[in-house]
Amino acid sequence: MLNDTIQIVPDDSSKPLRIVVLVSGSGSNLQVLIDTMQSGALPIEIVGVISNRADAYAITRAKDANIPVAVLSHITNGKRMGIKTFERHASTQLAAWQPDLIVLAGFMRVLSSDFINNAPAPMINLHPSLLPAYKGLNTHQRVIQAGEHHHGCSIHLVTAELDAGTVLTQAMLKVVPNETADSLKTRVQKLEHQLLPWTILLLAKGILVIENTLSTKYHNSLPTLPLTLFIDK
Ligand code: GAR
């Protein structure tokens, strides 16, 4: 008699994407990833969180979700941890966690090209502007001062040049009359909370494929990069 037991062999796409998230602050974007992971909406496993600030609320969010955290504080007992030391510890941690993807979600230290080029997985960064416009800090204030009509957020590959890697996805909004930097920040963060899981879903499903830090490919029936989510409110 034939053995009619059916064995289901999981293929790679059924494995969750292993993610390490780097943070410096509140971690509202980390929380969205935790929530979507826990609900099963995103096929990811957050295998670790690295914070460069001991007071980041993101640490509490990670611990509450039982995610391992490495705090590599940039200042301990008044002494500043140099970027090389930070990167040495971070590399050891990444090697232990073996991520498929590294996500910078509100991570505010500038990383060296050595660290970026030798990272064990592709690295993406969430930036609060429509890149290539408004690289760097204080993006919301600068957008208001320039009288822009549109603003938003971008997710791009991390390369040695600050905020300059290939832009994968963007979400856009209209700047409304009487807008302030604070109101824009709140509105852009709402977009970030949709854009980040959406982008990671495209990566986890293999629709968007990062081949190396300089190039990407994705399903050729889709429009050219960046894919843009336009929220016209
Ligand atoms: C986000 O708005 C992100 O775009 C920004 O930091 C915030 C972190 O919020 N990142 C940068 O400015 C990077 N240059 P969160 O800690 O609540 O996720």
PDB file of all heavy atoms in Angstrom, residues 25-29 106 108 126-128 189 192, ligand 1:
ATOM      1  N   GLY A  25      14.751  56.833  19.259  1.00  0.00           N
ATOM      2  CA  GLY A  25      13.755  57.664  19.944  1.00  0.00           C
ATOM      3  C   GLY A  25      12.505  56.933  20.359  1.00  0.00           C
ATOM      4  O   GLY A  25      12.552  55.826  20.899  1.00  0.00           O
ATOM      5  N   SER A  26      11.372  57.546  20.050  1.00  0.00           N
ATOM      6  CA  SER A  26      10.082  57.048  20.537  1.00  0.00           C
ATOM      7  C   SER A  26       9.745  55.636  20.041  1.00  0.00           C
ATOM      8  O   SER A  26       9.153  54.827  20.762  1.00  0.00           O
ATOM      9  CB  SER A  26       8.994  58.036  20.111  1.00  0.00           C
ATOM     10  OG  SER A  26       7.784  57.371  19.928  1.00  0.00           O
ATOM     11  N   GLY A  27      10.102  55.350  18.809  1.00  0.00           N
ATOM     12  CA  GLY A  27       9.860  53.996  18.299  1.00  0.00           C
ATOM     13  C   GLY A  27       8.432  53.735  17.862  1.00  0.00           C
ATOM     14  O   GLY A  27       7.978  52.588  17.849  1.00  0.00           O
ATOM     15  N   SER A  28       7.724  54.804  17.438  1.00  0.00           N
ATOM     16  CA  SER A  28       6.342  54.558  16.977  1.00  0.00           C
ATOM     17  C   SER A  28       6.354  53.678  15.722  1.00  0.00           C
ATOM     18  O   SER A  28       5.442  52.862  15.519  1.00  0.00           O
ATOM     19  CB  SER A  28       5.608  55.875  16.729  1.00  0.00           C
ATOM     20  OG  SER A  28       6.174  56.576  15.644  1.00  0.00           O
ATOM     21  N   ASN A  29       7.357  53.828  14.883  1.00  0.00           N
ATOM     22  CA  ASN A  29       7.442  52.966  13.691  1.00  0.00           C
ATOM     23  C   ASN A  29       7.798  51.533  14.069  1.00  0.00           C
ATOM     24  O   ASN A  29       7.292  50.583  13.477  1.00  0.00           O
ATOM     25  CB  ASN A  29       8.454  53.543  12.690  1.00  0.00           C
ATOM     26  CG  ASN A  29       7.877  54.737  11.959  1.00  0.00           C
ATOM     27  OD1 ASN A  29       7.079  54.583  11.054  1.00  0.00           O
ATOM     28  ND2 ASN A  29       8.259  55.939  12.391  1.00  0.00           N
ATOM     29  N   GLY A 106      14.023  55.859  12.564  1.00  0.00           N
ATOM     30  CA  GLY A 106      14.282  56.931  13.524  1.00  0.00           C
ATOM     31  C   GLY A 106      15.645  56.768  14.176  1.00  0.00           C
ATOM     32  O   GLY A 106      15.843  57.155  15.322  1.00  0.00           O
ATOM     33  N   MET A 108      19.344  57.963  14.557  1.00  0.00           N
ATOM     34  CA  MET A 108      19.861  59.300  14.280  1.00  0.00           C
ATOM     35  C   MET A 108      21.397  59.400  14.304  1.00  0.00           C
ATOM     36  O   MET A 108      21.932  60.501  14.369  1.00  0.00           O
ATOM     37  CB  MET A 108      19.251  60.300  15.269  1.00  0.00           C
ATOM     38  CG  MET A 108      17.727  60.339  15.242  1.00  0.00           C
ATOM     39  SD  MET A 108      16.992  60.630  13.613  1.00  0.00           S
ATOM     40  CE  MET A 108      17.244  62.394  13.448  1.00  0.00           C
ATOM     41  N   LEU A 126      14.131  55.026   6.878  1.00  0.00           N
ATOM     42  CA  LEU A 126      12.897  55.811   6.760  1.00  0.00           C
ATOM     43  C   LEU A 126      13.275  57.271   6.961  1.00  0.00           C
ATOM     44  O   LEU A 126      13.870  57.618   7.991  1.00  0.00           O
ATOM     45  CB  LEU A 126      11.937  55.352   7.865  1.00  0.00           C
ATOM     46  CG  LEU A 126      10.669  56.146   8.080  1.00  0.00           C
ATOM     47  CD1 LEU A 126       9.770  56.073   6.852  1.00  0.00           C
ATOM     48  CD2 LEU A 126       9.921  55.581   9.299  1.00  0.00           C
ATOM     49  N   HIS A 127      12.939  58.119   5.984  1.00  0.00           N
ATOM     50  CA  HIS A 127      13.336  59.529   6.072  1.00  0.00           C
ATOM     51  C   HIS A 127      12.109  60.441   5.904  1.00  0.00           C
ATOM     52  O   HIS A 127      11.307  60.233   4.980  1.00  0.00           O
ATOM     53  CB  HIS A 127      14.380  59.864   5.003  1.00  0.00           C
ATOM     54  CG  HIS A 127      14.854  61.277   5.090  1.00  0.00           C
ATOM     55  ND1 HIS A 127      15.772  61.696   6.036  1.00  0.00           N
ATOM     56  CD2 HIS A 127      14.511  62.378   4.380  1.00  0.00           C
ATOM     57  CE1 HIS A 127      15.970  62.991   5.898  1.00  0.00           C
ATOM     58  NE2 HIS A 127      15.218  63.433   4.901  1.00  0.00           N
ATOM     59  N   PRO A 128      11.982  61.475   6.748  1.00  0.00           N
ATOM     60  CA  PRO A 128      10.770  62.314   6.699  1.00  0.00           C
ATOM     61  C   PRO A 128      10.816  63.420   5.651  1.00  0.00           C
ATOM     62  O   PRO A 128      10.676  64.604   5.973  1.00  0.00           O
ATOM     63  CB  PRO A 128      10.696  62.871   8.125  1.00  0.00           C
ATOM     64  CG  PRO A 128      12.118  62.958   8.562  1.00  0.00           C
ATOM     65  CD  PRO A 128      12.847  61.829   7.897  1.00  0.00           C
ATOM     66  N   GLN A 189       4.110  61.384  10.090  1.00  0.00           N
ATOM     67  CA  GLN A 189       4.308  60.131  10.847  1.00  0.00           C
ATOM     68  C   GLN A 189       3.169  59.139  10.595  1.00  0.00           C
ATOM     69  O   GLN A 189       3.395  57.943  10.548  1.00  0.00           O
ATOM     70  CB  GLN A 189       4.482  60.423  12.330  1.00  0.00           C
ATOM     71  CG  GLN A 189       5.917  60.909  12.613  1.00  0.00           C
ATOM     72  CD  GLN A 189       6.421  60.566  13.991  1.00  0.00           C
ATOM     73  OE1 GLN A 189       5.656  60.576  14.945  1.00  0.00           O
ATOM     74  NE2 GLN A 189       7.708  60.291  14.121  1.00  0.00           N
ATOM     75  N   GLU A 192       4.124  57.470   7.561  1.00  0.00           N
ATOM     76  CA  GLU A 192       5.235  56.529   7.802  1.00  0.00           C
ATOM     77  C   GLU A 192       4.710  55.199   8.328  1.00  0.00           C
ATOM     78  O   GLU A 192       5.213  54.139   7.963  1.00  0.00           O
ATOM     79  CB  GLU A 192       6.217  57.125   8.823  1.00  0.00           C
ATOM     80  CG  GLU A 192       6.966  58.332   8.310  1.00  0.00           C
ATOM     81  CD  GLU A 192       7.907  58.930   9.345  1.00  0.00           C
ATOM     82  OE1 GLU A 192       7.854  58.529  10.521  1.00  0.00           O
ATOM     83  OE2 GLU A 192       8.679  59.808   8.973  1.00  0.00           O
TER      84      GLU A 192
HETATM   85  C1  GAR B   1      10.469  59.356  12.067  1.00  0.00           C
HETATM   86  O1  GAR B   1       9.610  60.419  11.773  1.00  0.00           O
HETATM   87  C2  GAR B   1      11.543  59.206  10.999  1.00  0.00           C
HETATM   88  O2  GAR B   1      11.116  59.616   9.739  1.00  0.00           O
HETATM   89  C3  GAR B   1      12.616  60.108  11.520  1.00  0.00           C
HETATM   90  O3  GAR B   1      12.595  59.936  12.910  1.00  0.00           O
HETATM   91  C4  GAR B   1      11.259  59.663  13.331  1.00  0.00           C
HETATM   92  C5  GAR B   1      11.272  58.512  14.307  1.00  0.00           C
HETATM   93  O4  GAR B   1      10.006  58.322  14.885  1.00  0.00           O
HETATM   94  N1  GAR B   1      13.889  59.749  10.966  1.00  0.00           N
HETATM   95  C6  GAR B   1      14.831  60.627  10.640  1.00  0.00           C
HETATM   96  O5  GAR B   1      14.700  61.807  10.800  1.00  0.00           O
HETATM   97  C7  GAR B   1      16.062  60.019  10.051  1.00  0.00           C
HETATM   98  N2  GAR B   1      16.894  61.034   9.479  1.00  0.00           N
HETATM   99  P1  GAR B   1       9.708  57.051  15.787  1.00  0.00           P
HETATM  100  O6  GAR B   1      10.893  56.900  16.748  1.00  0.00           O
HETATM  101  O7  GAR B   1       8.449  57.405  16.521  1.00  0.00           O
HETATM  102  O8  GAR B   1       9.564  55.876  14.893  1.00  0.00           O
END
